[in-house]
């Protein structure tokens, strides 16, 4: 139990150092001083207006903008109007400082589990860094190499690879020549890949070795492709040969070519398209969102203001997909601040991650990052892991953890500043310091986006990681940014005020029953306007005109389809989603997302999709149970089963889970029609690879509905 095993020694230390009276005194000081301090700060914070109402054009509604800036922010500093200029100026300014770090592969081995499945385990070494100066040279060389290779700069290039340093170098390289990049989630399926490459007529594809191997299967359908550039991996043998239709070169070969044949840069302008970002839509084929250089630098400039004191001393752990706008925006922020970006992956993040060889170190332990971006699902997993370990540990450690957690919770909910007391110091040393080493022990701020974060997990992160969470709300269409909660805001469930680069407007949606005159808070569809609103969908004017509108003052607005409400201090809370609301047979509206979030509180639920057929008066649910929880239960009541799949089918198991859902529904005060009348347990997890959830682990309802059509029909029989 790696992070709790030092309890006894810490105990000793405190006992010896302070003595009995010392402890009592410390506790008194720790309790009283923060209380006094917090009463001063609470009032100050409560009064802080984080966003203010403004009068703007366009559809009537209630509009807010960030209160700290008088005008919308457009650039991180004067002149940095494109990604190309931002990168170049940053590289010159921070030339000697570490920019991009990659871990060296020491050993790769394949181990076999008892049931015969094979797993790859990696032993990785220290980070090796490229300085800002050298990173810039690499990007320039790559750009020249591309041109030399014969890539016509009017053509687009695509990147289809996992997150890594070369990804960012290739990306920045293309901007030196005003080449538009097409990005595609590496977890998207073949159809989506062929569709995106074909629609954008990509002539150069930049990919990693894993994807390169997949290409030959679809090569005859990639009609526009002329060049394939792949990132080398240590331990992967040689390059694939040219296939007749396209040339294959490694990233390093292209760089070398460029170094020997330098080409004059042709820099883009602010309104040129930097990226066409294909997002895994929840229905049909992915859509390409056209993101301008001005969009990205505006978002980066705005998000930078959220992270207190960001600068050269910060170290950022990069592991989310770069094809996701949140990660792209976050890394751009780091580049603009001269921070170091160390690359890792979700499968090698911690010492206990799947791909890390037992006894060796995960990315976070080696890098010791100060900042990271994450999605709720990952924080949920960290939390579940920690709680499970605490439970297993039992005894004194468990009691200490629980008391410590409660005390810190009180302090935080009273005031973040209450945290200054001696008491905090004691709990930090006794309990939380060890937990923090999971992520390296130095995290000071966590950016979180992609989906709403549960209140429990946000508090858990505040307390156990000791870091504020900047909860963001935004979409690819708004170039990630829309709102971000601020570091000193300890409330939960809200996504903060508008970032300084945009306006947020609520527009009444009468049909759904949400209006801007609702009490106690105005409610309505969330509409985002300003510099960060992207240019629309590639080759899809109909869809673009449906959700983007330009008002009489020339401001672009994006209609998100999300329903939100404004708190008194101007912070936004997302409460619903237009298309996830179904009107049942008797006229009640059921919000699927709301019900799912409530039912997910059950320990038995790993994932859940609520489904409501408008021709019935009740809803049903598909549940992917937590295997651990359900097998524990089966053991405890002595249920016999052949295999896990069969257990999921047993009536007793279904009943047990349904009871637990009922309890969760009661706690959340759901209405009767919101409680699934029937459920089914599914043994197989929903993963991005299976196409059933997005990379941010959001449900893809259409795909789930299609895959489980038979099951859903059965539930409605
Ligand atoms: C090369 O392209 C042609 C025409 O698109 C296609 O018919 C052929 O299968 C391709 N060759 C390979 C090796 O993929
Ligand atoms: C690619 O797009 C063209 C039209 O731009 C279409 O005619 C062709 O069928 C598409 N090919 C594939 C493989 O989707
Ligand atoms: C960048 O490329 C686009 C597309 O080829 C072109 O329309 C635009 O004029 C270029 N920008 C500059 C500054 O040359
Ligand atoms: C980069 C970009 O598209 N900027 C636009 C943002 O919106 C303003 C209007 O609010 C336009 O004038 C900019 O061109």
């Amino acid at each position: 139990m790696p992070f709790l095993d030092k309890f006894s020694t810490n105990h000793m230390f405190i006992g010896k150092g302070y003595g009995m009276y010392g402890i009592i005194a410390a506790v008194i000081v720790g309790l009283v001083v923060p209380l006094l301090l917090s009463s001063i700060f609470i009032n100050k914070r409560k009064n802080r207006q984080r966003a203010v109402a403004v009068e703007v054009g366009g559809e009537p509604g209630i509009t807010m903008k960030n209160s700290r800036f008088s005008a919308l922010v457009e650039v991180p500093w004067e002149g940095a109007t494109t990604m190309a200029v931002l990168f170049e100026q940053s590289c010159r300014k921070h030339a000697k400082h570490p920019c991009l770090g990659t871990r060296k592969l020491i050993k790769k081995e394949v181990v076999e589990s008892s049931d015969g499945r094979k797993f790859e385990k990696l032993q990785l070494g220290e980070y090796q860094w490229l300085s800002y100066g050298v990173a810039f040279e690499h990007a320039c060389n790559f750009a020249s190499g591309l041109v030399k290779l014969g890539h016509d700069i009017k053509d687009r290039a695509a990147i289809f690879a996992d997150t890594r340093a070369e990804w960012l170098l290739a990306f920045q390289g293309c901007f030196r020549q005003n080449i538009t990049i097409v990005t595609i989630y590496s977890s998207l399926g073949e159809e989506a890949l062929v569709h995106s490459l074909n629609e954008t007529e990509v002539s150069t594809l930049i990919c990693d070795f894993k994807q390169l191997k997949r290409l030959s299967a679809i090569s005859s359908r990639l009609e526009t492709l002329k060049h394939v550039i792949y990132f080398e991996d240590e331990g992967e043998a040689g390059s694939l040969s040219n296939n007749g239709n396209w040339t294959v070169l490694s990233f390093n070969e292209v760089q070398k070519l460029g170094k020997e044949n330098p080409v004059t840069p042709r820099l883009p302008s602010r309104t040129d398209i930097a990226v066409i970002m294909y997002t895994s839509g929840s229905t049909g084929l992915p859509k390409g969102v056209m993101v301008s250089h001005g969009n990205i630098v505006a978002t980066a400039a705005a998000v930078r203001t959220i992270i207190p004191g960001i600068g050269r001393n910060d170290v950022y752990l990069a592991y989310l997909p770069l094809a996701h706008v949140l990660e792209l925006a976050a890394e751009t922020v780091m580049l603009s601040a001269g921070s170091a970006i160390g690359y890792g992956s979700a499968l090698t993040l911690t010492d206990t991650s799947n791909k890390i060889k037992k006894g060796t170190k995960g990315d976070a332990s080696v890098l010791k990052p100060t900042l990271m971006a994450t999605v709720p699902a990952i924080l949920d997993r960290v939390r579940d892991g920690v709680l499970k370990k605490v439970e297993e540990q039992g005894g004194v450690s468990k009691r200490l953890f629980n008391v410590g957690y409660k005390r810190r919770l009180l302090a935080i909910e009273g005031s973040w500043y209450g945290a200054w007391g001696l008491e905090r110091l004691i709990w930090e040393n006794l309990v939380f310091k060890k937990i923090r080493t999971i992520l390296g022990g130095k995290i000071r701020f966590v950016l979180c986006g992609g989906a709403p974060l549960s209140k429990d997990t946000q508090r858990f992160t505040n307390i156990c990681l000791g870091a504020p969470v900047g909860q963001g709300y935004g979409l690819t269409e708004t170039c990630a940014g829309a709102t971000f909660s601020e570091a000193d805001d300890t409330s939960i469930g809200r996504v903060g005020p508008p970032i300084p680069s945009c306006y947020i407007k609520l527009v009444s949606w009468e049909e759904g029953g949400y209006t801007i005159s609702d009490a106690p808070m105005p409610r309505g569809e969330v509409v985002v306007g300003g510099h960060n609103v992207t240019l629309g969908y590639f080759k899809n004017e109909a869809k673009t005109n449906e959700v983007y509108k330009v008002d009489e003052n020339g401001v672009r607005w994006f209609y998100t389809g999300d329903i939100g409400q404004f708190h008194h201090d101007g912070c936004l809370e997302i409460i619903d989603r237009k298309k996830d609301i179904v009107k049942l047979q008797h006229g009640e509206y059921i919000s699927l997302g709301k019900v799912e979030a409530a039912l997910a509180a059950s320990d038995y639920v790993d994932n859940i999709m609520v489904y409501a057929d408008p021709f019935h008066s009740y809803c049903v649910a598909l549940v992917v149970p937590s295997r651990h929880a359900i097998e524990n239960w089966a053991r405890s009541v002595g249920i016999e089963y052949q295999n896990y799949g069969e257990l999921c089918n047993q009536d007793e198991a279904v009943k047990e889970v349904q009871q637990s859902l009922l309890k969760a529904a009661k706690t959340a005060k759901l209405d009767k029609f919101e409680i699934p009348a029937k459920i089914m347990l599914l043994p197989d997890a929903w993963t991005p690879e299976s196409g059933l959830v997005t990379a941010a682990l959001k449900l893809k309802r259409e795909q789930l509905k299609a895959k489980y059509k038979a099951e859903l029909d059965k539930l409605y029989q």
Side-chain angles (χ1 to χ4, degrees):
M1 308 309 103
F3 52 87
L4 291 172
D5 56 9
K6 284 230 178 113
F7 275 1
S8 48
T9 48
N10 277 330
H11 231 144
M12 295 285 295
F13 167 72
I14 285 184
K16 262 191 215 151
Y18 296 100
M20 196 55 194
Y21 295 108
I23 293 183
I24 295 171
V27 169
I28 291 174
V29 173
L31 293 182
V32 176
V33 173
L35 267 177
L36 288 177
L37 274 176
S38 57
S39 59
I40 300 168
F41 281 105
I42 281 177
N43 288 331
K44 198 171 159 196
R45 280 197 4 261
K46 268 200 179 139
N47 290 335
R48 189 152 126 54
Q49 196 63 33
R50 296 177 192 275
V52 290
V54 281
E55 288 297 322
V56 290
E59 206 170 329
I62 294 186
T63 310
M64 293 279 175
K65 77 167 191 51
N66 197 291
S67 61
R68 289 185 295 157
F69 297 81
S70 53
L72 293 190
V73 168
E74 206 169 348
V75 286
W77 60 83
E78 182 121 2
T81 55
T82 65
M83 292 285 275
V85 174
L86 181 148
F87 185 59
E88 178 167 355
Q89 294 187 347
S90 217
C91 286
R92 293 201 193 290
K93 187 164 167 202
H94 309 291
K96 295 261 171 343
H97 286 264
C99 179
L100 307 176
T102 305
R103 294 184 74 186
K104 198 171 166 51
L105 177 70
I106 294 176
K107 210 160 131 200
K108 187 192 281 189
E109 56 190 49
V110 175
V111 299
E112 212 172 297
S113 70
S114 50
D115 59 359
R117 283 189 297 167
K118 291 199 168 94
F119 297 95
E120 196 178 74
K121 298 280 176 186
L122 304 179
Q123 187 181 349
L124 298 165
E126 290 297 316
Y127 273 87
Q128 296 178 315
W129 293 94
L130 296 182
S131 68
Y132 270 84
V134 173
F136 183 62
E137 264 172 50
H138 281 259
C140 293
N141 291 343
F142 180 74
S144 301
L146 257 186
V147 175
K148 182 68 191 166
L149 183 64
H151 177 94
D152 182 337
I153 60 166
K154 287 201 276 314
D155 284 348
R156 300 180 190 90
I159 307 185
F160 187 55
D162 289 338
T163 297
R164 56 193 284 165
E166 290 85 355
W167 202 113
L168 204 68
L169 291 171
F171 189 70
Q172 293 294 351
C174 287
F175 298 150
R176 305 286 308 156
Q177 292 294 331
N178 183 22
I179 295 167
T180 298
I181 297 273
V182 176
T183 63
I184 304 153
Y185 278 17
S186 59
S187 61
L188 282 188
E190 255 164 41
E191 278 317 307
L193 177 64
V194 171
H195 167 75
S196 332
L197 295 180
N198 189 45
E199 189 172 65
T200 50
E201 299 164 61
V202 161
S203 71
T204 298
L205 176 64
I206 302 161
C207 64
D208 52 25
F209 209 81
K210 197 170 80 195
Q211 307 301 347
L212 184 62
K213 286 190 272 189
R214 283 172 57 184
L215 278 188
S216 40
I218 49 174
S219 66
S220 63
R221 299 168 67 200
L222 302 177
E223 295 162 14
T224 60
L225 209 57
K226 295 191 190 117
H227 312 284
V228 174
I229 299 170
Y230 69 93
F231 302 137
E232 290 101 333
D233 275 320
E234 283 172 90
E236 296 284 4
S239 65
L240 295 191
S241 56
N242 304 349
N243 85 343
N245 287 345
W246 61 57
T247 56
V248 181
L249 253 76
S250 77
F251 183 75
N252 286 338
E253 285 167 331
V254 177
Q255 270 198 61
K256 194 158 162 277
L257 193 64
K259 195 169 181 182
E260 288 156 6
N261 303 278
V263 174
T264 328
R266 295 162 48 110
L267 301 184
S269 72
R270 187 178 63 93
T271 49
D272 284 329
I273 299 172
V275 191
I276 300 176
M277 194 168 262
Y278 277 84
T279 63
S280 48
S282 43
T283 54
L285 286 169
K287 295 188 295 271
V289 177
M290 299 182 286
V291 183
S292 73
H293 281 272
N295 290 155
I296 307 185
V297 293
T299 296
V303 174
R304 223 185 121 156
T305 66
I306 315 291
I307 307 172
I310 184 175
R312 273 183 191 170
N313 290 334
D314 279 305
V315 180
Y316 174 81
L317 175 53
Y319 66 98
L320 291 176
L322 260 167
H324 191 297
V325 69
L326 172 71
E327 181 65 19
L328 191 58
E331 290 190 30
T332 307
V333 171
M334 302 307 144
L335 290 180
S336 78
S339 310
I341 304 176
Y343 287 88
S345 79
L347 293 175
T348 57
L349 211 54
T350 67
D351 297 353
T352 53
S353 290
N354 280 347
K355 264 194 158 182
I356 290 291
K357 182 181 151 81
K358 219 174 168 165
T360 70
K361 297 231 171 287
D363 306 328
S365 317
V366 178
L367 184 67
K368 300 195 176 7
T370 60
L371 304 170
M372 65 189 283
T374 177
V375 291
I378 288 180
L379 286 179
D380 285 345
R381 262 180 228 162
V382 172
R383 168 172 175 261
D384 292 348
V386 170
L387 294 181
K388 200 171 122 200
K389 290 237 166 80
V390 169
E391 200 58 39
E392 282 168 9
Q393 193 90 0
V396 179
S397 343
K398 183 176 155 187
R399 243 172 291 148
L400 261 178
F401 176 87
N402 286 339
V403 176
Y405 194 88
K406 274 200 198 104
R407 291 298 310 164
R408 296 292 303 120
L409 191 61
L410 281 177
I412 288 179
E413 308 223 301
S415 157
W416 186 254
Y417 296 87
W420 282 349
L422 240 174
E423 190 195 352
R424 175 180 188 182
L425 211 77
I426 295 173
W427 291 122
E428 301 282 84
N429 277 294
L430 268 182
V431 185
F432 303 115
K433 215 164 147 184
K434 268 297 180 194
I435 295 180
R436 264 166 226 171
T437 58
I438 299 181
L439 291 174
K442 293 207 169 143
I443 295 284
R444 66 179 190 89
F445 194 79
V446 177
L447 289 166
C448 184
L453 184 63
S454 78
K455 299 183 179 186
D456 285 350
T457 302
Q458 180 172 346
R459 275 296 174 255
F460 175 85
T461 311
N462 292 153
I463 293 170
C464 293
L465 301 183
V469 183
Q471 230 203 116
Y473 163 74
L475 305 97
T476 310
E477 286 87 341
T478 64
C479 192
T483 72
F484 251 109
S485 61
E486 296 172 343
D488 65 341
D489 183 358
T490 60
S491 65
I492 35 191
R494 316 189 308 166
V495 290
I499 56 172
S501 58
C502 67
Y503 303 118
I504 301 284
K505 188 194 284 196
L506 293 182
V507 172
S508 294
W509 183 43
E510 306 284 347
E511 191 193 328
Y514 294 113
T515 69
I516 55 171
S517 46
D518 287 348
M521 289 180 233
R523 306 189 294 179
E525 179 175 5
V526 179
V527 185
V528 184
H531 298 304
N532 54 344
V533 173
T534 56
L535 308 172
Y537 301 110
F538 186 72
K539 284 191 187 163
N540 195 341
E541 210 166 313
K543 184 74 196 165
T544 301
N545 293 337
E546 196 182 309
V547 287
Y548 290 86
K549 283 181 190 150
V550 180
D551 72 15
E552 62 277 14
N553 303 324
V555 176
R556 264 182 100 70
W557 297 92
F558 174 73
Y559 286 68
T560 64
D562 290 323
I563 304 295
Q565 62 187 14
F566 278 134
H567 286 250
H568 297 294
D569 59 358
C571 287
L572 183 71
E573 180 180 357
I574 302 297
I575 52 175
D576 221 325
R577 173 121 193 105
K578 254 176 156 177
K579 69 174 177 202
D580 290 349
I581 299 176
V582 180
K583 193 175 178 184
L584 292 174
Q585 201 179 28
H586 298 321
E588 302 99 338
Y589 282 100
I590 177 166
S591 159
L592 305 175
K594 180 186 106 185
V595 174
E596 281 155 0
L599 300 183
S602 156
D603 287 339
Y604 288 122
V605 174
D606 220 23
N607 221 331
I608 181 167
M609 180 177 82
V610 173
Y611 176 74
D613 182 327
F615 298 106
H616 288 84
S617 56
Y618 59 91
C619 64
V620 299
L622 298 175
V623 179
V624 177
S626 152
R627 181 162 182 171
H628 177 76
I630 203 115
E631 287 190 329
N632 267 356
W633 165 80
R635 219 171 298 128
S636 74
V637 295
I639 287 192
E640 306 270 327
Y641 56 97
Q642 300 278 324
N643 56 49
Y644 179 56
E646 191 224 306
L647 175 62
C648 288
N649 255 325
Q650 290 199 7
D651 286 344
E652 287 98 326
V654 174
K655 223 175 263 162
E656 172 68 13
V657 175
Q658 206 158 11
Q659 285 297 330
S660 156
L661 292 185
L662 195 63
K663 228 196 254 160
K666 289 229 166 93
T667 312
K669 301 200 174 63
L670 294 189
D671 272 316
K672 189 161 176 299
F673 66 87
E674 293 177 306
I675 303 170
K678 287 191 201 167
I679 64 167
M680 192 173 285
L681 305 183
L682 307 170
D684 295 322
W686 299 337
T687 60
E689 290 73 30
S690 64
L692 297 174
V693 291
T694 67
L697 303 179
K698 278 194 249 184
L699 299 181
K700 289 177 153 183
R701 291 187 194 278
E702 293 303 317
Q703 278 84 340
L704 283 161
K705 243 160 71 187
K707 168 145 182 163
Y708 296 110
K709 186 169 183 314
E711 283 82 356
L712 289 170
D713 286 347
K714 207 159 154 207
L715 286 173
Y716 267 117
Q717 263 168 18

